[in-house]
PDB file of all heavy atoms in Angstrom:
ATOM      1  N   ALA A 168      15.510  -2.939   6.534  1.00 91.00           N
ATOM      2  CA  ALA A 168      14.454  -1.873   6.536  1.00 91.00           C
ATOM      3  C   ALA A 168      14.701  -0.950   5.339  1.00 91.00           C
ATOM      4  O   ALA A 168      15.791  -0.592   5.004  1.00 91.00           O
ATOM      5  CB  ALA A 168      14.515  -1.051   7.799  1.00 91.00           C
ATOM      6  N   GLY A 169      13.628  -0.694   4.577  1.00 93.00           N
ATOM      7  CA  GLY A 169      13.621   0.213   3.417  1.00 93.00           C
ATOM      8  C   GLY A 169      14.078  -0.524   2.139  1.00 93.00           C
ATOM      9  O   GLY A 169      14.129   0.120   1.110  1.00 93.00           O
ATOM     10  N   SER A 170      14.292  -1.846   2.223  1.00 95.00           N
ATOM     11  CA  SER A 170      14.730  -2.576   1.048  1.00 95.00           C
ATOM     12  C   SER A 170      13.510  -3.159   0.367  1.00 95.00           C
ATOM     13  O   SER A 170      12.326  -3.108   0.885  1.00 95.00           O
ATOM     14  CB  SER A 170      15.668  -3.698   1.411  1.00 95.00           C
ATOM     15  OG  SER A 170      14.979  -4.721   2.197  1.00 95.00           O
ATOM     16  N   SER A 171      13.790  -3.769  -0.811  1.00 96.00           N
ATOM     17  CA  SER A 171      12.701  -4.534  -1.556  1.00 96.00           C
ATOM     18  C   SER A 171      13.209  -5.912  -1.844  1.00 96.00           C
ATOM     19  O   SER A 171      14.465  -6.051  -2.095  1.00 96.00           O
ATOM     20  CB  SER A 171      12.331  -3.819  -2.828  1.00 96.00           C
ATOM     21  OG  SER A 171      11.750  -2.573  -2.655  1.00 96.00           O
ATOM     22  N   VAL A 172      12.313  -6.933  -1.821  1.00 97.00           N
ATOM     23  CA  VAL A 172      12.673  -8.300  -2.082  1.00 97.00           C
ATOM     24  C   VAL A 172      11.618  -8.843  -3.031  1.00 97.00           C
ATOM     25  O   VAL A 172      10.523  -8.273  -3.204  1.00 97.00           O
ATOM     26  CB  VAL A 172      12.827  -9.170  -0.874  1.00 97.00           C
ATOM     27  CG1 VAL A 172      13.901  -8.575   0.077  1.00 97.00           C
ATOM     28  CG2 VAL A 172      11.470  -9.294  -0.185  1.00 97.00           C
ATOM     29  N   VAL A 173      11.972  -9.979  -3.704  1.00 97.00           N
ATOM     30  CA  VAL A 173      11.030 -10.679  -4.550  1.00 97.00           C
ATOM     31  C   VAL A 173      10.659 -12.047  -3.898  1.00 97.00           C
ATOM     32  O   VAL A 173      11.600 -12.762  -3.549  1.00 97.00           O
ATOM     33  CB  VAL A 173      11.527 -10.931  -6.009  1.00 97.00           C
ATOM     34  CG1 VAL A 173      10.657 -11.807  -6.802  1.00 97.00           C
ATOM     35  CG2 VAL A 173      11.685  -9.571  -6.627  1.00 97.00           C
ATOM     36  N   LEU A 174       9.447 -12.301  -3.687  1.00 97.00           N
ATOM     37  CA  LEU A 174       8.978 -13.577  -3.169  1.00 97.00           C
ATOM     38  C   LEU A 174       8.413 -14.426  -4.254  1.00 97.00           C
ATOM     39  O   LEU A 174       7.404 -13.991  -4.852  1.00 97.00           O
ATOM     40  CB  LEU A 174       7.960 -13.401  -1.970  1.00 97.00           C
ATOM     41  CG  LEU A 174       8.346 -12.435  -0.858  1.00 97.00           C
ATOM     42  CD1 LEU A 174       7.259 -12.404   0.126  1.00 97.00           C
ATOM     43  CD2 LEU A 174       9.602 -13.021  -0.241  1.00 97.00           C
ATOM     44  N   TYR A 175       8.985 -15.586  -4.460  1.00 97.00           N
ATOM     45  CA  TYR A 175       8.422 -16.515  -5.474  1.00 97.00           C
ATOM     46  C   TYR A 175       7.679 -17.559  -4.671  1.00 97.00           C
ATOM     47  O   TYR A 175       8.283 -18.478  -4.086  1.00 97.00           O
ATOM     48  CB  TYR A 175       9.532 -17.116  -6.291  1.00 97.00           C
ATOM     49  CG  TYR A 175       9.126 -18.265  -7.142  1.00 97.00           C
ATOM     50  CD1 TYR A 175       7.902 -18.444  -7.714  1.00 97.00           C
ATOM     51  CD2 TYR A 175      10.071 -19.293  -7.380  1.00 97.00           C
ATOM     52  CE1 TYR A 175       7.548 -19.534  -8.475  1.00 97.00           C
ATOM     53  CE2 TYR A 175       9.723 -20.477  -8.134  1.00 97.00           C
ATOM     54  CZ  TYR A 175       8.523 -20.565  -8.707  1.00 97.00           C
ATOM     55  OH  TYR A 175       8.158 -21.672  -9.355  1.00 97.00           O
ATOM     56  N   VAL A 176       6.383 -17.626  -4.808  1.00 97.00           N
ATOM     57  CA  VAL A 176       5.576 -18.620  -4.068  1.00 97.00           C
ATOM     58  C   VAL A 176       5.480 -19.859  -4.985  1.00 97.00           C
ATOM     59  O   VAL A 176       4.712 -19.811  -5.925  1.00 97.00           O
ATOM     60  CB  VAL A 176       4.191 -18.055  -3.674  1.00 97.00           C
ATOM     61  CG1 VAL A 176       3.385 -19.088  -2.905  1.00 97.00           C
ATOM     62  CG2 VAL A 176       4.301 -16.774  -2.911  1.00 97.00           C
ATOM     63  N   VAL A 177       6.292 -20.841  -4.658  1.00 97.00           N
ATOM     64  CA  VAL A 177       6.367 -22.004  -5.546  1.00 97.00           C
ATOM     65  C   VAL A 177       5.028 -22.838  -5.564  1.00 97.00           C
ATOM     66  O   VAL A 177       4.543 -23.176  -4.519  1.00 97.00           O
ATOM     67  CB  VAL A 177       7.438 -22.941  -5.069  1.00 97.00           C
ATOM     68  CG1 VAL A 177       7.598 -24.136  -5.999  1.00 97.00           C
ATOM     69  CG2 VAL A 177       8.835 -22.161  -5.042  1.00 97.00           C
ATOM     70  N   PRO A 178       4.473 -22.929  -6.800  1.00 97.00           N
ATOM     71  CA  PRO A 178       3.169 -23.554  -6.847  1.00 97.00           C
ATOM     72  C   PRO A 178       3.218 -25.054  -6.400  1.00 97.00           C
ATOM     73  O   PRO A 178       4.176 -25.781  -6.726  1.00 97.00           O
ATOM     74  CB  PRO A 178       2.855 -23.530  -8.381  1.00 97.00           C
ATOM     75  CG  PRO A 178       3.655 -22.482  -8.964  1.00 97.00           C
ATOM     76  CD  PRO A 178       4.973 -22.535  -8.124  1.00 97.00           C
ATOM     77  N   ASN A 179       2.253 -25.512  -5.601  1.00 95.00           N
ATOM     78  CA  ASN A 179       2.128 -26.873  -5.207  1.00 95.00           C
ATOM     79  C   ASN A 179       1.425 -27.705  -6.147  1.00 95.00           C
ATOM     80  O   ASN A 179       1.383 -28.951  -6.131  1.00 95.00           O
ATOM     81  CB  ASN A 179       1.462 -26.994  -3.811  1.00 95.00           C
ATOM     82  CG  ASN A 179       2.307 -26.412  -2.766  1.00 95.00           C
ATOM     83  OD1 ASN A 179       3.531 -26.588  -2.721  1.00 95.00           O
ATOM     84  ND2 ASN A 179       1.654 -25.728  -1.752  1.00 95.00           N
ATOM     85  N   SER A 180       0.732 -27.132  -7.102  1.00 96.00           N
ATOM     86  CA  SER A 180      -0.079 -27.891  -8.118  1.00 96.00           C
ATOM     87  C   SER A 180      -0.252 -26.974  -9.355  1.00 96.00           C
ATOM     88  O   SER A 180       0.188 -25.799  -9.380  1.00 96.00           O
ATOM     89  CB  SER A 180      -1.463 -28.187  -7.585  1.00 96.00           C
ATOM     90  OG  SER A 180      -2.261 -27.048  -7.410  1.00 96.00           O
ATOM     91  N   LYS A 181      -0.851 -27.494 -10.368  1.00 96.00           N
ATOM     92  CA  LYS A 181      -1.109 -26.798 -11.643  1.00 96.00           C
ATOM     93  C   LYS A 181      -2.114 -25.699 -11.496  1.00 96.00           C
ATOM     94  O   LYS A 181      -2.254 -24.863 -12.402  1.00 96.00           O
ATOM     95  CB  LYS A 181      -1.505 -27.729 -12.724  1.00 96.00           C
ATOM     96  CG  LYS A 181      -2.863 -28.490 -12.405  1.00 96.00           C
ATOM     97  CD  LYS A 181      -3.230 -29.486 -13.498  1.00 96.00           C
ATOM     98  CE  LYS A 181      -4.507 -30.258 -13.148  1.00 96.00           C
ATOM     99  NZ  LYS A 181      -4.814 -31.220 -14.253  1.00 96.00           N
ATOM    100  N   ASN A 182      -2.829 -25.647 -10.362  1.00 96.00           N
ATOM    101  CA  ASN A 182      -3.826 -24.560 -10.168  1.00 96.00           C
ATOM    102  C   ASN A 182      -3.512 -23.665  -9.015  1.00 96.00           C
ATOM    103  O   ASN A 182      -4.286 -22.869  -8.562  1.00 96.00           O
ATOM    104  CB  ASN A 182      -5.153 -25.214  -9.909  1.00 96.00           C
ATOM    105  CG  ASN A 182      -5.685 -25.952 -11.152  1.00 96.00           C
ATOM    106  OD1 ASN A 182      -5.638 -25.403 -12.244  1.00 96.00           O
ATOM    107  ND2 ASN A 182      -6.227 -27.138 -11.001  1.00 96.00           N
ATOM    108  N   ASP A 183      -2.189 -23.802  -8.394  1.00 96.00           N
ATOM    109  CA  ASP A 183      -1.883 -23.064  -7.187  1.00 96.00           C
ATOM    110  C   ASP A 183      -1.303 -21.657  -7.696  1.00 96.00           C
ATOM    111  O   ASP A 183      -0.144 -21.580  -7.920  1.00 96.00           O
ATOM    112  CB  ASP A 183      -0.836 -23.843  -6.474  1.00 96.00           C
ATOM    113  CG  ASP A 183      -0.486 -23.193  -5.158  1.00 96.00           C
ATOM    114  OD1 ASP A 183      -1.161 -22.206  -4.728  1.00 96.00           O
ATOM    115  OD2 ASP A 183       0.576 -23.612  -4.542  1.00 96.00           O
ATOM    116  N   ILE A 184      -2.138 -20.669  -7.643  1.00 96.00           N
ATOM    117  CA  ILE A 184      -1.749 -19.294  -7.910  1.00 96.00           C
ATOM    118  C   ILE A 184      -2.205 -18.440  -6.743  1.00 96.00           C
ATOM    119  O   ILE A 184      -3.046 -18.783  -5.992  1.00 96.00           O
ATOM    120  CB  ILE A 184      -2.407 -18.770  -9.250  1.00 96.00           C
ATOM    121  CG1 ILE A 184      -3.914 -18.780  -9.148  1.00 96.00           C
ATOM    122  CG2 ILE A 184      -1.891 -19.570 -10.425  1.00 96.00           C
ATOM    123  CD1 ILE A 184      -4.586 -18.240 -10.369  1.00 96.00           C
ATOM    124  N   VAL A 185      -1.525 -17.257  -6.621  1.00 95.00           N
ATOM    125  CA  VAL A 185      -1.823 -16.334  -5.551  1.00 95.00           C
ATOM    126  C   VAL A 185      -3.097 -15.509  -5.978  1.00 95.00           C
ATOM    127  O   VAL A 185      -3.011 -14.803  -6.990  1.00 95.00           O
ATOM    128  CB  VAL A 185      -0.637 -15.401  -5.277  1.00 95.00           C
ATOM    129  CG1 VAL A 185      -1.039 -14.404  -4.234  1.00 95.00           C
ATOM    130  CG2 VAL A 185       0.571 -16.177  -4.853  1.00 95.00           C
ATOM    131  N   ARG A 186      -4.114 -15.653  -5.202  1.00 92.00           N
ATOM    132  CA  ARG A 186      -5.356 -14.917  -5.494  1.00 92.00           C
ATOM    133  C   ARG A 186      -5.478 -13.574  -4.653  1.00 92.00           C
ATOM    134  O   ARG A 186      -6.127 -12.620  -5.110  1.00 92.00           O
ATOM    135  CB  ARG A 186      -6.543 -15.819  -5.224  1.00 92.00           C
ATOM    136  CG  ARG A 186      -6.556 -17.055  -6.067  1.00 92.00           C
ATOM    137  CD  ARG A 186      -7.729 -17.969  -5.789  1.00 92.00           C
ATOM    138  NE  ARG A 186      -7.596 -19.240  -6.504  1.00 92.00           N
ATOM    139  CZ  ARG A 186      -7.907 -19.428  -7.732  1.00 92.00           C
ATOM    140  NH1 ARG A 186      -8.438 -18.460  -8.467  1.00 92.00           N
ATOM    141  NH2 ARG A 186      -7.801 -20.623  -8.332  1.00 92.00           N
ATOM    142  N   SER A 187      -4.965 -13.639  -3.440  1.00 92.00           N
ATOM    143  CA  SER A 187      -4.982 -12.517  -2.571  1.00 92.00           C
ATOM    144  C   SER A 187      -3.939 -12.573  -1.543  1.00 92.00           C
ATOM    145  O   SER A 187      -3.277 -13.569  -1.333  1.00 92.00           O
ATOM    146  CB  SER A 187      -6.303 -12.385  -1.904  1.00 92.00           C
ATOM    147  OG  SER A 187      -6.622 -13.557  -1.109  1.00 92.00           O
ATOM    148  N   TYR A 188      -3.709 -11.496  -0.795  1.00 95.00           N
ATOM    149  CA  TYR A 188      -2.699 -11.493   0.298  1.00 95.00           C
ATOM    150  C   TYR A 188      -3.175 -10.452   1.321  1.00 95.00           C
ATOM    151  O   TYR A 188      -4.049  -9.625   1.068  1.00 95.00           O
ATOM    152  CB  TYR A 188      -1.328 -11.083  -0.273  1.00 95.00           C
ATOM    153  CG  TYR A 188      -1.283  -9.699  -0.876  1.00 95.00           C
ATOM    154  CD1 TYR A 188      -1.136  -8.569  -0.122  1.00 95.00           C
ATOM    155  CD2 TYR A 188      -1.359  -9.542  -2.266  1.00 95.00           C
ATOM    156  CE1 TYR A 188      -1.025  -7.317  -0.623  1.00 95.00           C
ATOM    157  CE2 TYR A 188      -1.357  -8.262  -2.846  1.00 95.00           C
ATOM    158  CZ  TYR A 188      -1.137  -7.168  -2.048  1.00 95.00           C
ATOM    159  OH  TYR A 188      -1.076  -5.911  -2.581  1.00 95.00           O
ATOM    160  N   ARG A 189      -2.590 -10.578   2.503  1.00 95.00           N
ATOM    161  CA  ARG A 189      -2.802  -9.667   3.591  1.00 95.00           C
ATOM    162  C   ARG A 189      -1.466  -9.189   4.146  1.00 95.00           C
ATOM    163  O   ARG A 189      -0.683  -9.988   4.641  1.00 95.00           O
ATOM    164  CB  ARG A 189      -3.706 -10.272   4.727  1.00 95.00           C
ATOM    165  CG  ARG A 189      -4.061  -9.263   5.846  1.00 95.00           C
ATOM    166  CD  ARG A 189      -4.872  -9.943   6.865  1.00 95.00           C
ATOM    167  NE  ARG A 189      -5.223  -9.016   7.982  1.00 95.00           N
ATOM    168  CZ  ARG A 189      -5.940  -9.368   9.008  1.00 95.00           C
ATOM    169  NH1 ARG A 189      -6.367 -10.605   9.212  1.00 95.00           N
ATOM    170  NH2 ARG A 189      -6.140  -8.480  10.012  1.00 95.00           N
ATOM    171  N   ALA A 190      -1.247  -7.938   4.090  1.00 94.00           N
ATOM    172  CA  ALA A 190       0.054  -7.354   4.575  1.00 94.00           C
ATOM    173  C   ALA A 190      -0.089  -6.585   5.867  1.00 94.00           C
ATOM    174  O   ALA A 190      -1.087  -5.865   6.008  1.00 94.00           O
ATOM    175  CB  ALA A 190       0.651  -6.488   3.481  1.00 94.00           C
ATOM    176  N   ARG A 191       0.882  -6.706   6.705  1.00 92.00           N
ATOM    177  CA  ARG A 191       0.865  -5.968   8.019  1.00 92.00           C
ATOM    178  C   ARG A 191       2.236  -5.260   8.199  1.00 92.00           C
ATOM    179  O   ARG A 191       3.267  -5.762   7.690  1.00 92.00           O
ATOM    180  CB  ARG A 191       0.610  -6.891   9.173  1.00 92.00           C
ATOM    181  CG  ARG A 191      -0.706  -7.654   9.162  1.00 92.00           C
ATOM    182  CD  ARG A 191      -0.805  -8.453  10.403  1.00 92.00           C
ATOM    183  NE  ARG A 191      -2.037  -9.260  10.427  1.00 92.00           N
ATOM    184  CZ  ARG A 191      -2.135 -10.511   9.925  1.00 92.00           C
ATOM    185  NH1 ARG A 191      -1.112 -11.074   9.311  1.00 92.00           N
ATOM    186  NH2 ARG A 191      -3.300 -11.181  10.003  1.00 92.00           N
ATOM    187  N   GLY A 192       2.248  -4.229   8.966  1.00 91.00           N
ATOM    188  CA  GLY A 192       3.515  -3.566   9.308  1.00 91.00           C
ATOM    189  C   GLY A 192       3.996  -2.546   8.335  1.00 91.00           C
ATOM    190  O   GLY A 192       5.156  -2.230   8.305  1.00 91.00           O
ATOM    191  N   GLY A 193       3.100  -2.026   7.487  1.00 91.00           N
ATOM    192  CA  GLY A 193       3.461  -1.011   6.572  1.00 91.00           C
ATOM    193  C   GLY A 193       4.204  -1.418   5.299  1.00 91.00           C
ATOM    194  O   GLY A 193       4.853  -0.581   4.639  1.00 91.00           O
ATOM    195  N   ILE A 194       4.205  -2.695   4.996  1.00 94.00           N
ATOM    196  CA  ILE A 194       4.904  -3.165   3.762  1.00 94.00           C
ATOM    197  C   ILE A 194       3.998  -2.995   2.529  1.00 94.00           C
ATOM    198  O   ILE A 194       2.746  -2.917   2.653  1.00 94.00           O
ATOM    199  CB  ILE A 194       5.282  -4.681   3.905  1.00 94.00           C
ATOM    200  CG1 ILE A 194       4.067  -5.573   4.042  1.00 94.00           C
ATOM    201  CG2 ILE A 194       6.217  -4.890   5.065  1.00 94.00           C
ATOM    202  CD1 ILE A 194       4.422  -7.013   4.049  1.00 94.00           C
ATOM    203  N   LYS A 195       4.650  -2.735   1.376  1.00 95.00           N
ATOM    204  CA  LYS A 195       3.920  -2.514   0.138  1.00 95.00           C
ATOM    205  C   LYS A 195       4.124  -3.722  -0.738  1.00 95.00           C
ATOM    206  O   LYS A 195       5.321  -4.181  -0.854  1.00 95.00           O
ATOM    207  CB  LYS A 195       4.364  -1.217  -0.545  1.00 95.00           C
ATOM    208  CG  LYS A 195       4.049   0.004   0.266  1.00 95.00           C
ATOM    209  CD  LYS A 195       4.462   1.309  -0.480  1.00 95.00           C
ATOM    210  CE  LYS A 195       4.075   2.554   0.310  1.00 95.00           C
ATOM    211  NZ  LYS A 195       4.570   3.746  -0.406  1.00 95.00           N
ATOM    212  N   VAL A 196       3.129  -4.234  -1.413  1.00 95.00           N
ATOM    213  CA  VAL A 196       3.212  -5.472  -2.165  1.00 95.00           C
ATOM    214  C   VAL A 196       2.650  -5.256  -3.538  1.00 95.00           C
ATOM    215  O   VAL A 196       1.606  -4.565  -3.720  1.00 95.00           O
ATOM    216  CB  VAL A 196       2.375  -6.623  -1.489  1.00 95.00           C
ATOM    217  CG1 VAL A 196       2.493  -7.891  -2.328  1.00 95.00           C
ATOM    218  CG2 VAL A 196       2.872  -6.851  -0.079  1.00 95.00           C
ATOM    219  N   SER A 197       3.339  -5.659  -4.576  1.00 92.00           N
ATOM    220  CA  SER A 197       2.873  -5.609  -5.947  1.00 92.00           C
ATOM    221  C   SER A 197       3.165  -6.942  -6.622  1.00 92.00           C
ATOM    222  O   SER A 197       4.071  -7.609  -6.276  1.00 92.00           O
ATOM    223  CB  SER A 197       3.476  -4.497  -6.731  1.00 92.00           C
ATOM    224  OG  SER A 197       4.912  -4.615  -6.794  1.00 92.00           O
ATOM    225  N   PHE A 198       2.300  -7.284  -7.598  1.00 91.00           N
ATOM    226  CA  PHE A 198       2.480  -8.558  -8.291  1.00 91.00           C
ATOM    227  C   PHE A 198       3.423  -8.432  -9.486  1.00 91.00           C
ATOM    228  O   PHE A 198       3.342  -7.477 -10.254  1.00 91.00           O
ATOM    229  CB  PHE A 198       1.078  -9.011  -8.873  1.00 91.00           C
ATOM    230  CG  PHE A 198       0.148  -9.694  -7.970  1.00 91.00           C
ATOM    231  CD1 PHE A 198      -0.744  -8.904  -7.237  1.00 91.00           C
ATOM    232  CD2 PHE A 198       0.200 -11.029  -7.744  1.00 91.00           C
ATOM    233  CE1 PHE A 198      -1.617  -9.494  -6.395  1.00 91.00           C
ATOM    234  CE2 PHE A 198      -0.637 -11.648  -6.877  1.00 91.00           C
ATOM    235  CZ  PHE A 198      -1.557 -10.906  -6.153  1.00 91.00           C
ATOM    236  N   LEU A 199       4.340  -9.334  -9.612  1.00 92.00           N
ATOM    237  CA  LEU A 199       5.178  -9.536 -10.761  1.00 92.00           C
ATOM    238  C   LEU A 199       4.540 -10.546 -11.720  1.00 92.00           C
ATOM    239  O   LEU A 199       4.601 -10.487 -12.967  1.00 92.00           O
ATOM    240  CB  LEU A 199       6.577  -9.873 -10.463  1.00 92.00           C
ATOM    241  CG  LEU A 199       7.358  -8.898  -9.639  1.00 92.00           C
ATOM    242  CD1 LEU A 199       8.783  -9.329  -9.404  1.00 92.00           C
ATOM    243  CD2 LEU A 199       7.325  -7.500 -10.311  1.00 92.00           C
ATOM    244  N   ASP A 200       3.954 -11.610 -11.152  1.00 93.00           N
ATOM    245  CA  ASP A 200       3.058 -12.508 -11.842  1.00 93.00           C
ATOM    246  C   ASP A 200       2.198 -13.098 -10.803  1.00 93.00           C
ATOM    247  O   ASP A 200       2.258 -12.746  -9.580  1.00 93.00           O
ATOM    248  CB  ASP A 200       3.838 -13.506 -12.739  1.00 93.00           C
ATOM    249  CG  ASP A 200       4.611 -14.538 -11.946  1.00 93.00           C
ATOM    250  OD1 ASP A 200       4.277 -14.889 -10.768  1.00 93.00           O
ATOM    251  OD2 ASP A 200       5.608 -15.049 -12.516  1.00 93.00           O
ATOM    252  N   GLN A 201       1.395 -14.167 -11.114  1.00 94.00           N
ATOM    253  CA  GLN A 201       0.463 -14.710 -10.161  1.00 94.00           C
ATOM    254  C   GLN A 201       1.038 -15.637  -9.107  1.00 94.00           C
ATOM    255  O   GLN A 201       0.283 -16.267  -8.339  1.00 94.00           O
ATOM    256  CB  GLN A 201      -0.619 -15.324 -10.934  1.00 94.00           C
ATOM    257  CG  GLN A 201      -1.545 -14.290 -11.660  1.00 94.00           C
ATOM    258  CD  GLN A 201      -2.567 -14.934 -12.607  1.00 94.00           C
ATOM    259  OE1 GLN A 201      -2.183 -15.260 -13.743  1.00 94.00           O
ATOM    260  NE2 GLN A 201      -3.793 -15.060 -12.175  1.00 94.00           N
TER     261      GLN A 201
END
C-alpha cells in the first residue's frame, strides 16, 4: 500500500498498444509509453 510499480504490457503483435484502461480502488495510473 502506498507504493508505485511499473507494468509492462508485453505486446502480442506489432499493433498491440494500450489505448485505454479502467482503474478501480483509488489507484493512479500514468503512461510511460504506449
Side-chain angles (χ1 to χ4, degrees):
S170 69
S171 294
V172 301
V173 171
L174 304 181
Y175 167 37
V176 183
V177 180
N179 290 322
S180 71
K181 61 184 180 181
N182 294 315
D183 185 13
I184 60 175
V185 176
R186 302 178 187 277
S187 62
Y188 61 84
R189 183 180 180 183
R191 299 182 183 89
I194 62 177
K195 295 181 179 179
V196 181
S197 59
F198 280 92
L199 297 181
D200 68 28
Q201 289 171 279

